[in-house]
Amino acid sequence: MAAAPARIAALSSGDGLVFGCDYNPEQWDRSVWPDDVRLMREAGIGLVAINIFGWSSINPAEGEWDFTALDEIIALLHDAGIRINLGTGTSSPAPWLSARHPEILPVGDDGTVFRQGGRQGYCPSSPVFRAYAAEVVTRVAERYGDHPAVALWHVSNELGCHNALCYCEASASAFRSWLRDRYADDIAALNRAWGTTFWSQRYSSFDDVQPPAQVLSLRNPGQILDFQRFSSDEQLALYRAEAAILRERSTLPVTTNFMVTAHIRNLDYWSWAGDMDLIANDHYLDRRLDDPSGELSFAADLTRGLAQGAPWLLMETSTGAVNWQPYNLAKGPGEMRRNVAGHLARGADGICFFQWRASTQGAEKYHTALLPHAGEDSDQWREVVELGGLLDRLGVIADTRVEADAAVLFSWESWWAAEDEGRPSEGLSYLGQVHAAHAALGDAGITADVVRPGGDLDGYRLIVVPALHLVRDEEAAAIARAVENGATALITFYSGIVDEEDRVRIGGYPGAFRELLGIRSEEFAPLRPGEHVALDDGTAATVWTERLKATDAEVVASFVDGPSAGGPALTRRVAGAGEAWYLATQPSRDAYRDLVARLAATAGIVPIAGSARDVEIVRRSGESGRFLFVINHGTSDIEVAVTGHDLVTDAPTTGSVPAGAVRIIKEDA
């Protein structure tokens, strides 16, 4: 990301928090538009994303262009003082393009060609698609690049949401070109990286390499890993091509909406972040998970990590139910406010919703919106207007930053490698391990930044490394240096096992961390689903054990039973001015909380009092003061020891936070 990222607060007409939405006026008769703009002003909307899916409207046939409607809606918004987040319009090609050029259609790993009729119906590597998309972007940029209403460029939309992995011939050719660059046109280097002597897979030419489509058996893990990297890079290349066109014709900031969320894993946003003028994310509460609000908190912290601690923009979220989960549950009383507060607490300076007005047709007609099907006379609309008033009062927190003493390391590459085919246990979920570590910290009252492996660890007293399966030598060395310099590190099982080529580090697990931890594991011994083992500290654990020996470490707890009975389950080693701990199993949530609280105390971290499983407490601070966010997800009232002014109630705080309520307190100096 640029050294000076664009200010989120500067995107709307005010200078506080941004309140915005997606708007699809092409779905509505022109007679509705003035009323939409009137109601946007009533709600306090300051930023509106348009032309996200505009291709077929502005370019309805090859060679035919019509910007009349887009000109009109931009003028209406501008006259109302509403700034515009202008989409390039390329997120889904017009039907005529795939009808004339079916070669742009994406292909699945089983050879299925995905036809026109949904969204993102294109291969990201297709030169034909890229050429037509470039023309769309060029025309949009030339027409609106200096329009005073436009505040931000929105490249495509959720790049790679549906078409991240394509196996067509264009993708195969692009994959081979990517591999030639990666391995300096040396096929022997590729063979070494992929271990192709196994199962007679040795290549004599790059021309023979194909994407890892479906085969009769397990596939080559090195090939799969590189295809994941390539696929992420191809989506980034789409962004870069459009951004280059925009930057040639406009000085406005450029970004795209990330999807930092549990169900999207194919895009390595660490490699994307530096290309963004500001970081934006789409996030929806995922009811398929055991702890949806916990996942929201982690995703928000990870998004802040991508922004290098700077404020970021929530580009999309929902007022209530979505329409793409198996059971699209309505949000309960106060839940939308709690969700919004969760993002704000963890660094967002803007909250935008999909979408402005609920659709009456199309695939997302049952997706909630700011203005519901029921219209203005509805509880949902009244809650939206209340939210607009709250965000206006919260403008003072803009540009402040989250305070964090701990770090959690996270890697998309490790996610890919850890969950590859042929792994020791399908019960081991990489993201599940990361979520568990993050939740334990939160339960203990410790706010954590999310940091990429190899990132700057200076200033963090506690570093948690959950299941970092794939790690480079220099990334492992960065953790060791932090410990030597005084940090406390907790490294959990299945970490350090393979290098960047997915090659197992021999000599005993956990490979890259063996010396730092003073341990050596000879064999994994994972558990069956639902199986638990006892530890001699009185706790129980699940998912994983391993046959481990302490070579230069203190054994803090051991397995009492199970496949690794008698062996270490938790170890500690002093290294320089710090400590390195190893956790060889999955503790219960309470036991995990107690462990990280113990380590935090050792590291000199003072937790925020009052935090608990159902209570989030996070602090932001800056020139405008210190602000304590208290989000009570529970069913009981709580008390928090704090004095100051509550911006939610606009009154001096009493320290009481009712069940389901949010308090955002400007603390007394």
Side-chain angles (χ1 to χ4, degrees), residues 12-13 41 45-46 76-83:
S12 63
S13 54
R41 287 176 58 86
I45 296 295
L76 278 172
L77 292 167
H78 182 45
D79 290 345
I82 297 172
R83 306 295 301 283

Side-chain angles (χ1 to χ4, degrees), residues 385-399:
V385 174
E386 289 175 3
L387 178 63
L390 173 60
L391 291 173
D392 185 59
R393 293 196 300 278
L394 293 176
V396 68
I397 74 169
D399 299 316

Side-chain angles (χ1 to χ4, degrees), residues 489-492 519 535-537 539 548 550 553-559 567-573 580-585 587 591-592 594-596 598-599:
L490 174 63
I491 298 172
T492 78
I519 59 172
L535 275 60
D536 62 6
D537 62 0
T539 64
L548 179 71
E554 171 193 354
V555 177
V556 179
S558 298
F559 294 108
L570 178 66
T571 64
R572 167 185 172 271
R573 179 177 178 268
W581 292 65
Y582 184 68
L583 179 61
T585 191
Y592 213 157
D594 293 345
L595 174 60
V596 298
R598 175 182 178 180
L599 270 58

Side-chain angles (χ1 to χ4, degrees), residues 265-276:
R265 69 187 290 269
N266 290 319
L267 307 164
D268 182 359
Y269 288 129
W270 291 125
S271 67
W272 290 43
D275 284 84
M276 307 296 140

